Amino acid sequence: MELWYTEKQTANYGITAKIKESLHTETSEFQDIAMIDTLEWGRMLVLDGCVMTTDRDEFVYHEMISHVALSAHKNPQRVLVVGGGDGGVIREVIKHPSVTHAVLAEIDGRVIDVSKKYLPAIACALDDPRVSVRVIDGIAHVNESEGQYDVIIVDSTDPIGPAVGLFARDFYEAIHRALRPDGIVVAQTESPFFNGELISRVYGDFSSLFTHTHLYLASIPTYPSGLWSFTIGSKQYDPKMIADPARANSLETKYYTPDLHAAAFALPRFAKELIAK
Ligand code: SPD
């Protein structure tokens, strides 16, 4: 018998993958968690029915949400990752030698446990001495961290359930307070095909708070529509510029390169229109 996993990405459209083995399912205090092994994408972490990451294409998302902000910052030392319990963003963050302390604020400890067990290549840096893993509400942590961070990365789930507050203006105001005077924030902001309104709103909120706000894109095959957006806000540095080209060039990556850093900000017209004032 064949088993297939289907994510209904909109009311009328989805993706489907043939399952080799179902490795784990549970309902945590916050969400449904599943780990499946698929023939095409390898192991797949699924939260509340949405693909969060897969063995085979995870590098695109984790590199692009991390290295654009970190490479634009002159000296990123203290970094906060909100969400991101699979550990992929933390793995990328600590590739920057200037980072002295990276905090992971993940509300659901079960996502961390399951990822450590089934996604060792993604969760591999969670025990690094520079990393503090904290099972806490990221919003509360940001609210009590005034002036603490150089870079904040919001690696949220989709804007349903536990993640709704991570797309709210109040949260972005708190992030602005939690950043140092030259701080940078980046948030995953969903698909320009399916989530145009959300992108426009978040871009507007960031623009009213930060000196520089930009949208950039990356191609992530297992995410809805395959084209994904990130919104970046910066108090001082221009996020399109790489602060230290030698550092950016020496990162061990599979997707991110200094050329791609610049190219990711080149938007197709329909995406540009989403953020036109
Ligand atoms: N629809 C998928 C959105 C997932 C964004 N976060 C992924 C977490 C991976 N670290």
Side-chain angles (χ1 to χ4, degrees), residues 69-70 73 75-80 98-101 147-152 178-185 233 237:
L70 287 158
H73 197 288
N75 185 27
Q77 294 183 317
R78 289 183 54 88
V79 178
L80 171 66
S98 60
V99 172
T100 54
H101 194 196
Q148 290 297 304
Y149 290 103
D150 297 305
V151 173
I152 297 179
L179 286 169
R180 288 173 168 167
D182 59 350
I184 302 181
V185 58
Y237 308 113

Side-chain angles (χ1 to χ4, degrees), residues 7 9 45 47 50-54 58 61-62 65 81 83-90 106 111 122 154-159 167 188-191 195 220 222-224 228 230:
E7 175 182 337
Q9 296 181 332
L45 171 66
L47 298 181
C50 301
V51 176
M52 288 299 118
T53 199
T54 82
E58 58 87 10
Y61 177 87
H62 291 131
I65 199 173
V81 179
D86 53 69
V89 175
I90 285 288
E106 164 63 59
V111 173
I122 297 177
V154 186
D155 179 12
S156 68
T157 52
D158 299 294
F167 292 85
Q188 75 87 1
T189 42
E190 306 278 309
S191 159
N195 307 93
I220 305 174
T222 59
Y223 283 4
W228 211 245
F230 303 87

Side-chain angles (χ1 to χ4, degrees), residues 223-238:
Y223 283 4
S225 84
L227 187 64
W228 211 245
S229 79
F230 303 87
T231 303
I232 189 166
S234 172
K235 289 187 176 183
Q236 182 182 321
Y237 308 113
D238 179 353

